[in-house]
Amino acid sequence: MTAQAVQREDLAVVIGLEVHVQLETDTKIFCGCSTDVADAEPNTHTCPVCLGLPGALPVLNEAAVESAVKVGKAIDADIPEETTFHRKNYFYPDLPKGFQITQYDAPVCQDGELDVEVDGERRTVGIQRAHLEEDPGSLQHEGGSIDRADYTLVNYNRAGVPLMEIVTDPDFRGAEEVRAFLAKLEEVLEYLGVFDSQRDGSLRIDANLSVVPADEVGENGEISEEALEDANRTEVKNISSHRGAEKALSYEATRQKNAVKRGREIQQETRHWDEGRGVTVSMRSKEEEKDYRYFREADLPPLQVSDWKQKLDIPELPDARRERFRDEYGLSEEAASKLTSTKQVADFYEDVAGEYAPDLAATWVADNLLGELNYRDMAITDVEGRLDEFMRLIELVADGEITTKNAEEVVLREMLDEGEDPETVIDREGLGKADEGAVEGAVEEAIEENPDAVEDYHDGEGGALNFLVGQVMQKTGGSADPGSVNQLLRERLDE
């Protein structure tokens, strides 16, 4: 965009993403080194291939290709008859070969799309391509951030880890839309079983952002090719989370708008997102495609993949499962969304719904269990192995052995905090079903001790009965059934 002062409200934001996803394979994409590098000592998961030593030859990991094809099917992409690998040449300390093996003009997936809901509206984001490549190593900056470090260490454990780079169209008009897209993309990838969001560095985002005159944006958000070509863009790197993407792009959009407002020209450059300071920092002028000097990777022959699309099955995806939960189980939109937020949650719910009424199972899983897990910063994966204990707790409530209140507010919480089974908690806390005689005695005591409430009840004040029920529950330590207490009190008071 030329240096011409304009008002910020006269500018629109245009964002396209390059999302790097680590694929879940046991070994690296071109060698047999393990990808389980999270807690490994630096430079211990390496070999001549991933270190780029002379004479070492790559061998393609079939599981990585299968994962890529599954992603292609999920985003309804075209999978060509033949895909090839190229060398992308550039110098960086954590790229030992001096080039990265990636895909250029024949990616494994192209022309796909993903539906995303933003502010209650469903939108389709175009995906230009999704291709396979190897991860470089990682840099550890000592003494400060990238532009303030005393020195930098290189760890090649990640070098050669399989990545899939997913490149979108410039379809985003704000940072909040990007965050919604990333959440949906992660959801789909996890349902496919090709991605683990818990792995450190498993999702990294590069975002291309520019500002254009607002009158260049059509009613449906489309922007002319001419407007895009005229606008200089920045590439923001080092984004590693949904929240980080929203913060980084909100900052960069504001920075560019302020610059244009003051009549300054936007430099086409690569900028680093400094999470700690909450700012983007200039790294270098942005490379163009010609700077990478792509050429075919002679050590990897062309790969025939078109028939894999028919041979490989993919599981039921989030949107389809959400719709089925509404139709099959009669769940509300909100409950269905909660219960399909991850594949693990959906599987857990269906296991419970196989034993109990779907609405009861939804209440216990979506409201009680997920609420307590979120409070403790836990995930459903932390309790997957305790499904039987969880269902036993529901059974105890259904059989009247414990009140719903005590089950929710005491037993479930203790099960999560102490790792105990429900019976152990119930016995320790004395929460078992109250003796019938003890309940009747508590009812008599509550009536005798609260004559004013009794008089209010006879005068027709509805709150009086609730007060008396509370007194009985307190006397029984919450172990009496509130419904039974209510009935007993009415019978006694109406005599």
Side-chain angles (χ1 to χ4, degrees):
M1 176 170 290
T2 58
Q4 180 181 359
V6 298
Q7 296 297 312
R8 285 178 52 177
E9 56 268 24
D10 294 333
L11 296 169
V13 176
V14 181
I15 303 172
L17 300 181
E18 300 169 7
V19 185
H20 299 82
V21 174
Q22 178 177 335
L23 298 175
E24 275 296 289
T25 59
D26 294 331
T27 57
K28 296 183 180 181
I29 189 168
F30 298 125
C31 68
C33 292
S34 171
T35 56
D36 187 15
V37 300
D39 300 316
E41 289 293 318
N43 299 309
T44 56
H45 287 229
T46 59
C47 72
V49 174
C50 53
L51 287 177
L53 299 184
L57 297 176
V59 177
L60 183 58
N61 186 334
E62 183 178 357
V65 181
E66 289 183 350
S67 296
V69 173
K70 289 179 180 179
V71 173
K73 293 186 69 171
I75 62 174
D76 196 26
D78 292 335
I79 297 176
E81 180 71 27
E82 183 176 279
T83 184
T84 57
F85 286 88
H86 282 70
R87 294 185 181 185
K88 181 181 181 182
N89 296 272
Y90 62 96
F91 173 76
Y92 211 57
D94 58 0
L95 193 66
K97 296 192 294 287
F99 63 86
Q100 178 190 37
I101 300 179
T102 182
Q103 295 189 293
Y104 177 45
D105 55 0
V108 66
C109 305
Q110 50 195 319
D111 296 328
E113 60 184 31
L114 187 65
D115 289 336
V116 182
E117 188 169 300
V118 181
D119 295 330
E121 294 185 6
R122 199 172 186 84
R123 290 187 44 209
T124 298
V125 175
I127 296 177
Q128 294 180 5
R129 55 188 284 136
H131 63 260
L132 287 166
E133 64 185 22
E134 60 180 338
D135 202 358
S138 55
L139 302 180
Q140 182 176 324
H141 304 291
E142 298 295 328
S145 59
I146 186 170
D147 59 332
R148 298 183 177 185
D150 296 330
Y151 59 91
T152 299
L153 301 173
V154 185
N155 181 1
Y156 290 115
N157 279 346
R158 286 191 64 90
V161 166
L163 297 182
M164 191 165 198
E165 181 176 345
I166 299 169
V167 182
T168 76
D169 289 329
D171 284 348
F172 304 99
R173 301 295 171 261
E176 68 284 350
E177 297 179 13
V178 168
R179 184 169 185 171
F181 171 81
L182 293 173
K184 179 61 175 292
L185 178 63
E186 270 201 14
E187 187 181 60
V188 170
L189 294 172
E190 289 197 316
Y191 264 76
L192 291 173
V194 303
F195 170 77
D196 181 5
S197 62
Q198 301 304 309
R199 276 190 187 257
D200 184 43
S202 59
L203 184 78
R204 283 163 284 161
I205 304 108
D206 297 340
N208 293 291
L209 185 148
S210 58
V211 293
V212 301
D215 57 12
E216 295 283 356
V217 181
E219 292 184 2
N220 296 322
E222 71 276 5
I223 297 177
S224 66
E225 290 293 332
E226 293 79 6
L228 291 175
E229 290 175 1
D230 289 343
N232 282 346
R233 70 182 188 275
T234 60
E235 181 181 30
V236 183
K237 302 181 76 71
N238 192 45
I239 305 172
S240 58
S241 67
H242 307 173
R243 183 169 177 268
E246 186 172 24
K247 290 173 62 179
L249 298 177
S250 294
Y251 173 88
E252 181 61 17
T254 300
R255 186 192 73 82
Q256 290 194 25
K257 286 183 177 181
N258 285 341
V260 175
K261 177 183 177 182
R262 292 169 173 81
R264 299 173 186 167
E265 185 172 358
I266 302 298
Q267 298 299 315
Q268 186 148 313
E269 61 181 346
T270 297
R271 298 181 68 87
H272 167 82
W273 168 240
D274 189 322
E275 184 80 42
R277 290 188 288 162
V279 299
T280 63
V281 180
S282 180
M283 292 176 63
R284 59 182 179 268
S285 60
K286 183 165 175 55
E287 296 93 342
E288 297 181 12
E289 188 175 285
K290 63 183 180 181
D291 296 322
Y292 293 121
R293 306 186 316 281
Y294 284 99
F295 62 87
R296 281 282 305 276
E297 171 55 76
D299 294 328
L300 291 170
L303 184 64
Q304 306 290 330
V305 292
S306 60
D307 60 338
W308 289 32
K309 187 171 184 178
Q310 284 70 43
K311 293 179 180 178
L312 289 175
D313 294 325
I314 61 173
E316 185 180 34
L317 295 176
D319 286 350
R321 200 166 195 184
R322 201 164 291 133
E323 183 176 353
R324 179 169 65 81
F325 275 22
R326 293 195 301 267
D327 295 342
E328 183 175 332
Y329 298 120
L331 301 181
S332 67
E333 178 69 36
E334 181 182 6
S337 294
K338 283 184 180 180
L339 293 169
T340 55
S341 57
T342 70
K343 184 176 184 299
Q344 292 86 352
V345 169
D347 290 344
F348 195 98
Y349 167 72
E350 294 219 78
D351 285 337
V352 177
E355 298 292 330
Y356 302 98
D359 56 343
L360 176 63
T363 297
W364 272 98
V365 178
D367 298 334
N368 299 338
L369 180 58
L370 292 185
E372 294 295 335
L373 290 174
N374 290 337
Y375 178 76
R376 290 162 176 76
D377 197 25
M378 296 171 65
I380 197 73
T381 51
D382 295 317
V383 295
E384 281 180 313
R386 303 178 64 190
L387 173 64
D388 289 344
E389 293 179 8
F390 182 74
M391 289 203 288
R392 174 60 179 153
L393 176 60
I394 300 175
E395 182 182 351
L396 290 170
V397 175
D399 291 345
E401 298 298 324
I402 184 174
T403 65
T404 301
K405 179 180 177 64
N406 281 339
E408 294 173 355
E409 297 181 5
V410 181
V411 181
L412 178 58
R413 294 173 183 177
E414 289 293 303
M415 287 173 64
L416 296 175
D417 291 338
E418 305 299 331
E420 297 173 331
D421 61 75
E423 285 88 350
T424 299
V425 178
I426 291 169
D427 291 344
R428 185 182 66 247
E429 301 294 335
L431 300 176
K433 183 178 181 180
D435 177 79
E436 186 175 338
V439 175
E440 292 176 351
V443 167
E444 295 294 335
E445 291 178 10
I447 291 174
E448 292 175 5
E449 295 172 3
N450 298 279
D452 290 343
V454 173
E455 184 177 348
D456 289 342
Y457 171 81
H458 288 299
D459 288 342
E461 294 190 18
L465 184 62
N466 291 335
F467 172 79
L468 291 170
V469 170
Q471 294 300 302
V472 176
M473 295 302 295
Q474 186 175 353
K475 291 177 179 294
T476 60
S479 59
D481 177 67
S484 299
V485 171
N486 189 299
Q487 183 178 350
L488 285 171
L489 279 167
R490 286 182 182 277
E491 292 173 355
R492 180 69 180 83
L493 291 168
D494 291 342
E495 288 179 358

